[in-house]
Amino acid sequence: MAKVKVGVVGTGFIGPAHIEALRRLPNVEVVALCEVTAELAAEKAKSLGIERSYTFDELLKQDDIQSIHICTPNFLHYSQSKAALEAGKHVICEKPLAKDLAEAEELVELAAKTGLVNAVHFNLRYYPLARQMKVMREKGELGDVYSVIGSYLQDWLFYETDYNWRLEPDKSGDSRAIADIGSHLMDILEYITGLKTVAVMADFNTIHKTRKKPLKEVETYSGKILKPEDYADVPINTEDHANVLLRFDNGNRGVITVSQVSAGRKNRMALEISGSKKTFSFNSESPNELWIGNRDGYNEVLMRDPSLVHKEASSVISFPGGHNEGFPDTSKQMFKEVYAAIEAGKQPENPTFPTFADGYRELLICEKILESARGEKWVEI
């Protein structure tokens, strides 16, 4: 069986995560890695066991590479996705799809024109119990959605000395916590409920108005104590914490909280979706259990098990119940669906995976949330 040959662009946290997931698919082979310089690309390729390394322009000239994964900082997503599509490559892009709506709209139109497979890495949809909640809602088991409560909490920016390129608007954009993790939350809420968010009211807070940016590369001081002169004070203009009220197209309401300064919360996305028949409660740090609340009977806990979920959800489960699946498996399950489309040679008419159009949708919501926070008012979407 001929395998789809893949090139991955970027080797931060998420690039190697893509590579690990792709290596678990029988019909895919990661053959090339790309970085900002040929020297760095060669070094990273060797460390990750990838035979070929290129700069970006060189990568696009490789005729045997059919698919490109864009895993670079946000400000590069638009230009690199556009160039890859124009080179005839299928594209899987990290979120956000672009830095603004005009760029995202252009990418959606270009992808549609080419017919190439396009996807945005909203992988958290692929927790099996997220798919189960969606299917249960579609079958009428949840009932009409009354309310949604969501949160996404992390602590990796808890200290003023915590620093990363995502804190710099020229690289990451004008929103940080909402754009970085709030986008995942908004995507999965609309995915599960089938509702559209029609208006938002946001309140942002920047806990650390100034952060200390290390003047040395992380690798050079790992495990060492920095002195005051090893930092530069940098003003911070993006949000550490955000609360957002939501109005949905069924007339009902929701609320989300997003924070990157919640001590002890490493990567916790929590959902509570209340309907006219049941309530669903799910927490990504315990992704193999779904709490189901009932008004007039016992509450239930559903274990992730292919023999217990609806058959439409069992397709994103690889192991029996009790053999836990988590974050790395979400990318594998998403890429499994994406590469089935790539093997077919074109974007499906009704894709099961998140597309560039979904990337545009989440960018739109994030921009409206940012507009609301700045104006301290309700903003319609």
Side-chain angles (χ1 to χ4, degrees), residues 11-12 35-36 40 43-44 73 161 163-165 168 171 212-227 229-232:
T11 59
E35 258 297 349
V36 66
L40 182 59
E43 176 189 334
K44 294 291 187 178
T161 50
Y163 202 86
N164 181 271
W165 61 263
E168 300 174 3
K171 297 182 178 67
K212 295 187 178 298
K213 180 179 181 178
L215 297 175
K216 301 177 180 178
E217 291 296 325
V218 171
E219 289 81 4
T220 66
Y221 66 80
S222 180
K224 299 179 181 178
I225 299 175
L226 291 188
K227 300 175 182 178
E229 59 268 25
D230 294 326
Y231 294 103

Side-chain angles (χ1 to χ4, degrees), residues 123-245:
N123 58 304
L124 301 191
R125 291 186 183 191
Y126 282 82
Y127 283 115
L129 293 177
R131 179 72 63 92
Q132 172 70 4
M133 286 186 277
K134 173 182 168 63
V135 174
M136 291 179 70
R137 188 266 305 166
E138 291 173 338
K139 291 179 178 293
E141 296 172 34
L142 174 65
D144 297 330
V145 177
Y146 284 171
S147 70
V148 172
I149 302 170
S151 65
Y152 204 141
L153 309 178
Q154 299 175 329
D155 72 356
W156 70 286
L157 292 173
F158 182 73
Y159 295 115
E160 65 173 0
T161 50
D162 291 326
Y163 202 86
N164 181 271
W165 61 263
R166 289 178 176 83
L167 292 156
E168 300 174 3
D170 63 328
K171 297 182 178 67
S172 185
D174 291 334
S175 171
R176 191 213 327 144
I178 283 290
D180 187 22
I181 54 179
S183 57
H184 273 298
L185 188 56
M186 294 301 303
D187 176 74
I188 198 171
L189 289 176
E190 291 197 339
Y191 172 73
I192 293 170
T193 65
L195 300 178
K196 293 295 184 185
T197 308
V198 296
V200 294
M201 175 66 179
D203 185 29
F204 286 6
N205 191 19
T206 303
I207 303 296
H208 298 300
K209 306 296 192 294
T210 301
R211 286 181 180 267
K212 295 187 178 298
K213 180 179 181 178
L215 297 175
K216 301 177 180 178
E217 291 296 325
V218 171
E219 289 81 4
T220 66
Y221 66 80
S222 180
K224 299 179 181 178
I225 299 175
L226 291 188
K227 300 175 182 178
E229 59 268 25
D230 294 326
Y231 294 103
D233 287 339
V234 175
I236 301 298
N237 301 309
T238 53
E239 74 281 2
D240 291 314
H241 179 278
N243 298 311
V244 187
L245 298 175

Side-chain angles (χ1 to χ4, degrees), residues 62-354:
Q62 308 306 308
D63 292 336
D64 64 325
I65 292 177
Q66 300 159 260
S67 175
I68 301 288
H69 284 241
I70 307 296
C71 302
T72 49
N74 300 356
F75 73 100
L76 294 170
H77 292 178
Y78 160 75
S79 61
Q80 292 180 337
S81 294
K82 180 180 179 180
L85 287 171
E86 290 176 338
K89 313 295 187 185
H90 305 289
V91 178
I92 297 86
C93 183
E94 266 303 320
K95 52 80 195 163
L97 178 59
K99 282 191 71 177
D100 60 51
L101 287 172
E103 289 182 349
E105 185 174 20
E106 183 182 346
L107 288 177
V108 171
E109 291 173 354
L110 179 60
K113 182 180 178 180
T114 64
L116 293 163
V117 174
N118 58 91
V120 175
H121 192 229
F122 285 120
N123 58 304
L124 301 191
R125 291 186 183 191
Y126 282 82
Y127 283 115
L129 293 177
R131 179 72 63 92
Q132 172 70 4
M133 286 186 277
K134 173 182 168 63
V135 174
M136 291 179 70
R137 188 266 305 166
E138 291 173 338
K139 291 179 178 293
E141 296 172 34
L142 174 65
D144 297 330
V145 177
Y146 284 171
S147 70
V148 172
I149 302 170
S151 65
Y152 204 141
L153 309 178
Q154 299 175 329
D155 72 356
W156 70 286
L157 292 173
F158 182 73
Y159 295 115
E160 65 173 0
T161 50
D162 291 326
Y163 202 86
N164 181 271
W165 61 263
R166 289 178 176 83
L167 292 156
E168 300 174 3
D170 63 328
K171 297 182 178 67
S172 185
D174 291 334
S175 171
R176 191 213 327 144
I178 283 290
D180 187 22
I181 54 179
S183 57
H184 273 298
L185 188 56
M186 294 301 303
D187 176 74
I188 198 171
L189 289 176
E190 291 197 339
Y191 172 73
I192 293 170
T193 65
L195 300 178
K196 293 295 184 185
T197 308
V198 296
V200 294
M201 175 66 179
D203 185 29
F204 286 6
N205 191 19
T206 303
I207 303 296
H208 298 300
K209 306 296 192 294
T210 301
R211 286 181 180 267
K212 295 187 178 298
K213 180 179 181 178
L215 297 175
K216 301 177 180 178
E217 291 296 325
V218 171
E219 289 81 4
T220 66
Y221 66 80
S222 180
K224 299 179 181 178
I225 299 175
L226 291 188
K227 300 175 182 178
E229 59 268 25
D230 294 326
Y231 294 103
D233 287 339
V234 175
I236 301 298
N237 301 309
T238 53
E239 74 281 2
D240 291 314
H241 179 278
N243 298 311
V244 187
L245 298 175
L246 311 171
R247 290 177 180 167
F248 299 114
D249 57 356
N250 73 344
N252 289 330
R253 306 291 196 264
V255 61
I256 63 168
T257 295
V258 175
S259 174
Q260 294 177 318
V261 291
S262 294
R265 296 302 189 191
K266 303 306 177 185
N267 191 50
R268 185 182 190 272
M269 180 186 69
L271 317 171
E272 184 137 333
I273 303 168
S274 295
S276 58
K277 296 181 180 179
K278 297 180 183 293
T279 292
F280 298 154
S281 182
F282 175 81
N283 165 16
S284 68
E285 288 188 347
S286 300
N288 291 273
E289 293 183 352
L290 170 63
W291 183 89
I292 302 172
N294 297 294
R295 173 67 164 83
D296 296 315
Y298 295 117
N299 294 330
E300 308 162 72
V301 175
L302 171 64
M303 178 180 288
R304 180 214 51 80
D305 185 322
S307 69
L308 299 178
V309 302
H310 289 301
K311 62 180 178 62
E312 296 92 336
S314 63
S315 64
V316 293
I317 299 177
S318 294
F319 296 95
H323 299 75
N324 290 341
E325 294 174 271
F327 178 83
D329 301 280
T330 61
S331 294
K332 183 193 81 169
Q333 299 295 350
M334 176 180 161
F335 296 158
K336 184 170 69 177
E337 294 185 349
V338 170
Y339 278 87
I342 288 175
E343 279 197 318
K346 63 179 181 179
Q347 187 81 344
E349 188 172 332
N350 295 300
T352 53
F353 52 84

Side-chain angles (χ1 to χ4, degrees), residues 8 10 14-24 30 33 48 50:
V8 175
I14 204 64
H18 280 236
I19 292 167
E20 189 275 337
L22 289 166
R23 282 173 164 165
R24 297 167 68 191
V30 181
L33 194 65
L48 291 165
I50 296 173

